[in-house]
Amino acid sequence: MIIEVFQDTVCPWCRIGKKHLFEAISQWEGEPVQIHYRTYQLDPHTPKSGQPFWETMAANKGGRAAVEQMVQHAARAGEAAGLPFDFAKVTSWPNTLASHTVIKCAPEEVATKAVDALYKAYFEDGKDIGDTEVLVAIAEELGMNGEEVRKAIETDAKQEEIAEDIAYARELQITGVPFFVIDNKLALSGAHPPENFLKAFQQALETNE
């Protein structure tokens, strides 16, 4: 069973949805599951140098108070899922193209660790995951070749793969993430609880029969 995960690296609900997905996979007794990460950018027009988090979000979401309410809601949902979020440390709203490049550079067996490391760096440590040096350091901690990752970021080496993902998302009419495509048959939109994923796995399996 192949599960395609459309996500963005600055999306708290993507982190929560992914945690729920993996909880479901750990309980699943059916056929083995393969995960494919697909790029989605919440704001592809963000400058490569990034923007300040609070000011940008306040301008886009109806003011600082509305943003504070949103992040508190996400942090509470994260806590319920066993995921810490420290929005007090988050200062940057990066263009996520470079962080998606890191995921594309990761070998299949490292991709999930790369996604998790990017989420942790951003949501727990308040790091700017649009910064090449930060990303190279994350890649090296995962055992990847830092210089190869740096070169891929600087030359947009994964642009074609990323563009394919974004075109596929458009074809599927995805307007928000997380979004999960299960065996090319079923789709789940949003940070569903594990039991909903398990039901979807079973439904996909029955569709195959």
Side-chain angles (χ1 to χ4, degrees):
M1 183 181 292
I2 294 169
I3 300 176
E4 294 171 285
V5 180
F6 288 85
Q7 58 91 35
D8 201 0
T9 49
V10 292
C11 166
W13 297 102
C14 294
R15 188 185 195 202
I16 294 164
K18 181 196 156 295
K19 177 83 185 302
H20 290 167
L21 168 67
F22 275 76
E23 282 175 18
I25 291 169
S26 71
Q27 297 169 42
W28 173 242
E29 294 175 352
E31 61 183 76
V33 172
Q34 265 185 300
I35 303 288
H36 290 175
Y37 291 99
R38 297 280 195 175
T39 301
Y40 189 91
Q41 285 194 285
L42 292 170
D43 187 0
H45 305 297
T46 301
K48 279 202 172 181
S49 57
Q51 291 177 313
F53 175 79
W54 290 99
E55 292 86 338
T56 304
M57 292 296 283
N60 292 340
K61 303 291 182 184
R64 173 91 184 203
V67 177
E68 285 181 0
Q69 201 171 2
M70 282 169 59
V71 300
Q72 282 165 15
H73 180 42
R76 280 195 298 271
E79 191 180 347
L83 291 169
F85 286 85
D86 190 349
F87 283 99
K89 288 184 182 171
V90 177
T91 58
S92 66
W93 177 255
N95 185 305
T96 56
L97 197 62
S99 58
H100 284 293
T101 300
V102 175
I103 299 165
K104 292 295 185 191
C105 287
E108 196 176 335
E109 66 277 9
V110 180
T112 292
K113 289 178 185 171
V115 172
D116 287 339
L118 289 162
Y119 285 148
K120 181 183 181 298
Y122 188 66
F123 290 116
E124 293 180 44
D125 306 331
K127 291 182 180 173
D128 178 3
I129 58 167
D131 182 278
T132 301
E133 298 309 318
V134 169
L135 295 172
V136 168
I138 290 170
E140 287 176 344
E141 281 169 23
L142 296 167
M144 296 166 65
N145 184 315
E147 285 314 304
E148 282 182 12
V149 169
R150 182 193 303 280
K151 189 177 176 187
I153 292 168
E154 289 175 351
T155 62
D156 290 331
K158 299 294 178 179
Q159 181 59 44
E160 197 173 321
E161 286 177 55
I162 288 169
E164 281 172 13
D165 287 353
I166 290 166
Y168 183 29
R170 204 174 293 124
E171 188 184 315
L172 293 174
Q173 298 183 327
I174 296 171
T175 55
V177 283
F179 193 94
F180 307 88
V181 178
I182 299 165
D183 244 7
N184 223 12
K185 294 180 181 70
L186 291 171
L188 282 179
S189 175
H192 283 265
E195 55 269 26
N196 286 15
F197 283 110
L198 286 165
K199 283 177 195 166
F201 297 169
Q202 189 60 42
Q203 209 177 328
L205 197 64
E206 287 163 5
T207 310
N208 283 343
E209 289 170 359

